[in-house]
Amino acid sequence: MVAWKRELILFGGFHESARDYIYYNDVYSFSLDSFTWSRLSPSGPGPTPRSGCLMTVSPQGSIVVYGGYSKQRVRKDVDRGTQHADMFLLKSEGGEGKWVWTRINPSGVKPTPRSGFSAAVAPNQQTLLFGGVCDEEEEERLDGMFFNDLYFYDATRNRWFAGQLKGPKAERKKRRRGKAEECGGLCEQEQGPVSAQEPLEVVKEVVAEDGTVVTIKQMLASPSVGGRPPAQAETEACASTADPDCPTAEPCPRSSAMLAVKHGLLYVYGGMFEAGDRQVTLSDLHCLDLHKMEAWKTLVEMDPEAHEWLEESDSEEDSSSSEGTETGDEESGEDKEENRRCSRDRSGACQAALGAD
């Protein structure tokens, strides 16, 4: 839902009952003057039914709809999800109540297909997208790949941009000062071509109350940009990880994070990720200056004791009574996978609405 002039525009969504579910692609308008709902009937080919899509108002006054999630039944008791990556424009045409759907194909570096992403409006009226999860489904198993990347959509240019960090200012100065010496040292040594340094992966372990150990991975921005040899880059990156307040530490991959932009600063709070069959909520808080785009700053670190485990088996008591039977184990596994699929719908339905005055 977005705010458009003196109206609230609502698109899509889903409804789920104990036996079935249904996705919508209808459009409704709520008047802020008369406090009444009315259904819109846009012309043109519009989005397929879905939930959890990004909606924002462009500087030109059109409504942009991107992505979303839906699922359909492929056979009895087996559903398959779809992560949409298409984009549409909903535009008001002249007379009252006349709307038109137009499918658009932005240029640039587009986000990979995903659901559960978070969105906010940047200071330059661009829409930013953060994180999310891409599901790989095989029969009755669901494996999710989580993201912590950042993308910007410029509606004026109809173009996507990947958010790239420049690194701390002090580090950039060091690179420039040491570039000549490092290049000279490399020329004196007969070495093969130097490949680009991969981002450094930092691993943290979280121990739950029941003794379960979950590994949380964080990626440090590659410090090799600017001409530093990989050996030096790795040494400096490793040194930076020793400081828990290291400004280059990115938020770990997650979906359904909370975003807010204030005075050009992007705040990312919480979210969730999956460890095997478990879902874990996060409570860390990060900040990024969207004007400088230098490095993330961690305001509140992850607290292992504050983590909440989601989707514990609701049938533990039932399964304990039939412990050792294959049927009980299979039903428990199916319930977990179904719960994870449902969470995709719920996380998508709770995404923030982006509006404009």
Side-chain angles (χ1 to χ4, degrees), residues 37-321:
W37 284 102
S38 60
R39 180 168 181 170
L40 306 180
S41 299
S43 59
T48 57
R50 64 191 65 189
S51 69
C53 53
L54 180 154
M55 292 185 67
T56 184
V57 178
S58 70
Q60 296 77 22
S62 300
I63 297 175
V64 179
V65 177
Y66 167 76
Y69 178 86
S70 65
K71 63 183 179 181
Q72 60 182 355
R73 188 147 294 162
V74 294
R75 63 175 184 269
K76 185 179 180 181
D77 298 331
V78 178
D79 300 323
R80 183 170 297 277
T82 299
Q83 296 163 117
H84 303 278
D86 46 4
M87 180 174 282
F88 294 83
L89 206 63
L90 181 61
K91 186 177 181 181
S92 177
E93 292 264 329
E96 184 178 354
K98 293 183 179 180
W99 294 78
V100 178
W101 279 116
T102 304
R103 180 165 182 169
I104 57 178
N105 185 25
S107 59
V109 182
K110 304 176 184 178
T112 56
R114 65 190 66 192
S115 61
F117 52 78
S118 305
V121 176
N124 53 7
Q125 294 304 309
Q126 294 181 352
T127 300
L128 63 88
L129 181 152
F130 172 80
V133 56
C134 178
D135 294 323
E136 296 181 1
E137 300 187 46
E138 295 182 3
E139 293 297 329
E140 298 178 359
R141 180 165 181 80
L142 179 67
D143 293 321
M145 176 183 296
F146 289 78
F147 302 98
N148 63 345
D149 47 5
L150 191 64
Y151 289 88
F152 294 87
Y153 174 68
D154 188 336
T156 302
R157 302 170 60 184
N158 192 28
R159 186 179 181 88
W160 281 102
F161 299 90
Q164 298 179 348
L165 303 186
K166 303 174 184 177
K169 190 173 182 180
E171 287 296 326
R172 297 202 303 274
K173 290 182 178 179
K174 283 184 180 179
R175 295 175 206 155
R176 290 194 291 267
R177 287 197 300 264
K179 185 175 181 180
E181 297 179 1
E182 292 165 2
C183 290
L186 286 176
C187 293
E188 293 176 0
Q189 302 178 3
E190 294 182 0
Q191 297 181 350
V194 178
S195 59
Q197 177 71 16
E198 295 293 331
L200 181 66
E201 182 177 270
V202 180
V203 179
K204 296 182 181 181
E205 291 187 347
V206 177
V207 181
E209 296 181 355
D210 59 0
T212 304
V213 178
V214 177
T215 301
I216 300 177
K217 296 181 181 180
Q218 285 183 290
M219 300 301 296
L220 297 184
S222 173
S224 63
V225 178
R228 288 184 295 172
Q232 180 183 355
E234 183 175 357
T235 301
E236 292 184 12
C238 291
S240 68
T241 60
D243 182 5
D245 297 324
C246 176
T248 59
E250 300 178 348
C252 68
R254 65 192 67 196
S255 68
S256 306
M258 300 293 105
L259 300 189
V261 176
K262 183 70 172 179
H263 299 315
L265 300 179
L266 169 65
Y267 295 91
V268 176
Y269 170 74
M272 59 80 61
F273 74 97
E274 292 174 354
D277 292 333
R278 291 174 177 260
Q279 293 186 350
V280 183
T281 57
L282 301 172
S283 59
D284 50 347
L285 178 62
H286 302 265
C287 178
L288 176 65
D289 191 324
L290 296 175
H291 294 298
K292 299 180 180 179
M293 289 295 291
E294 292 181 349
W296 286 96
K297 180 178 180 181
T298 302
L299 304 181
V300 179
E301 292 188 336
M302 292 178 291
D303 182 4
E305 297 182 358
H307 282 171
E308 178 183 356
W309 300 90
L310 298 180
E311 300 201 359
E312 292 282 355
S313 175
D314 294 331
S315 57
E316 287 183 355
E317 296 181 359
D318 297 337
S319 61
S320 63
S321 62

Side-chain angles (χ1 to χ4, degrees), residues 1-17:
M1 183 173 67
V2 293
W4 181 83
K5 296 185 177 179
R6 294 290 299 169
E7 299 177 50
L8 302 178
I9 306 299
L10 175 69
F11 166 77
F14 80 104
H15 172 75
E16 185 172 17
S17 63

